[in-house]
Amino acid sequence: MAQLAPGYSQIGFVSKQMGVPVEGQFRKFDAQIAFDPKKPEGGTVALQIDMASATLGVPQSDAELPKAPWFDTARFPKASFQSSAIKGLGGGRFDIAGRLTIKGHTQELVVPVTITQSADRSTATGSFTIQRLAFKVGEGEWTDTSMVGDEVQVRFKLVLTGLRPL
């Protein structure tokens, strides 16, 4: 079982507000990874994200994110990803299929992941795009995508210890 190396991993997101990219991040998350890079088909990846830890780095915006139109953290404190299949593509690249759940809404997706290894650490990086409205993120007046775009790019860097060599 691989473990997250504390303080090194990042999960960020980029949305467009009035056409301008705005970057944010989640400061708290956890992962359970049981995965042999040489036999990826039998592996599993589970991730839980503390939605109240989201920040855009602007206090006024950060105060809005936990509210009901956005993440509704009182009712839905965590988002999750649970893998259903892992496919090795060679060269440290993998496709991880699974279910992403945000605000009680679930979507199937395939996440491309690249793993690099050095010394006792492995780094899994990747990005994928979701449609925020499919998860009811930004309800009411915020469904207007001219203000906040529907596409959100999620980027991650998970630094792990205990992953078997590639």
Side-chain angles (χ1 to χ4, degrees), residues 5-24:
Y8 292 97
S9 298
Q10 301 168 340
I11 298 177
F13 55 94
V14 181
S15 62
K16 287 199 173 168
Q17 294 185 11
M18 295 179 14
V20 177
V22 175
E23 293 192 39

Side-chain angles (χ1 to χ4, degrees), residues 126-143:
S127 68
F128 58 94
T129 300
I130 62 169
Q131 312 300 316
R132 68 175 176 86
L133 294 176
F135 296 96
K136 303 286 189 246
V137 173
E139 296 184 83
E141 65 183 301
W142 300 110
T143 58

Side-chain angles (χ1 to χ4, degrees), residues 30-110:
D30 195 19
Q32 297 77 44
I33 298 168
F35 171 66
D36 179 346
K38 291 191 188 324
K39 291 184 263 183
E41 302 78 19
T44 60
V45 175
L47 191 67
Q48 303 81 37
I49 300 167
D50 179 344
M51 298 304 279
S53 75
T55 178
L56 294 168
V58 178
Q60 186 179 346
S61 299
D62 288 357
E64 295 301 313
L65 289 176
K67 295 181 179 175
W70 293 102
F71 292 144
D72 198 359
T73 59
R75 290 180 52 215
F76 304 102
K78 294 198 182 302
S80 65
F81 176 80
Q82 176 65 56
S83 68
S84 55
I86 301 175
K87 180 177 167 186
L89 304 175
R93 294 178 308 116
F94 302 87
D95 275 349
I96 302 179
R99 294 174 304 285
L100 178 65
T101 303
I102 302 172
K103 273 184 90 172
H105 299 276
T106 301
Q107 297 274 311
E108 299 276 340
L109 68 152
V110 176

Side-chain angles (χ1 to χ4, degrees), residues 3-10 27 29-30 121 158-161:
Q3 303 291 323
L4 284 177
Y8 292 97
S9 298
Q10 301 168 340
R27 290 179 291 217
F29 49 89
D30 195 19
R121 296 216 167 135
L158 303 178
V159 179
L160 309 166
T161 57

